[in-house]
Amino acid sequence: MNLEIITKEDLREFESRLLTEIKKLVQLDGQGASKKWLKSNEVRKLLKISPGTLQNLRINGTLSFTRIGSIIYYKLDDINKLLEGGVK
């Protein structure tokens, strides 16, 4: 049996590389577009998260939002800040 041990440092390095790639995607997606607010479905696709996870981010205050009627909007800048801050 061949076992590989993954250390905390390995996970930190993976997190760093993953966040760097996500930031690149967000920046590329934002170029040429003047869109500053995103709807929930756009945020979920961008972050590749479920509706429940997005709801948890709202509830615990990790991601601020604005509700207009029944539609929830998120600032693109806030999403970028979340990505830059990393996962805690």
Side-chain angles (χ1 to χ4, degrees):
M1 179 183 269
N2 188 11
L3 294 176
E4 289 187 39
I5 297 175
I6 298 175
T7 64
K8 287 182 181 181
E9 184 58 36
D10 292 334
L11 291 174
R12 285 187 193 106
E13 181 181 332
F14 174 72
E15 176 190 25
S16 175
R17 289 187 305 178
L18 181 62
L19 288 172
T20 300
E21 290 301 314
I22 291 173
K23 287 178 201 175
K24 287 180 190 175
L25 290 173
V26 169
Q27 289 171 355
L28 289 176
D29 197 32
Q31 289 178 352
S34 61
K35 197 167 195 178
K36 295 185 180 186
W37 292 88
L38 301 174
K39 293 182 181 179
S40 292
N41 64 331
E42 296 170 314
V43 174
R44 289 194 327 264
K45 286 180 186 176
L46 183 65
L47 299 178
K48 296 182 180 177
I49 59 175
S50 69
T53 300
L54 184 56
Q55 182 178 5
N56 285 336
L57 292 175
R58 287 194 310 266
I59 289 170
N60 66 24
T62 302
L63 188 57
S64 61
F65 64 95
T66 299
R67 184 185 306 265
I68 301 176
S70 62
I71 302 173
I72 299 174
Y73 294 93
Y74 305 86
K75 279 187 181 180
L76 183 57
D77 290 345
D78 291 343
I79 295 166
N80 287 334
K81 287 177 187 175
L82 176 69
L83 291 173
E84 289 171 3
V87 179
K88 307 245 176 190

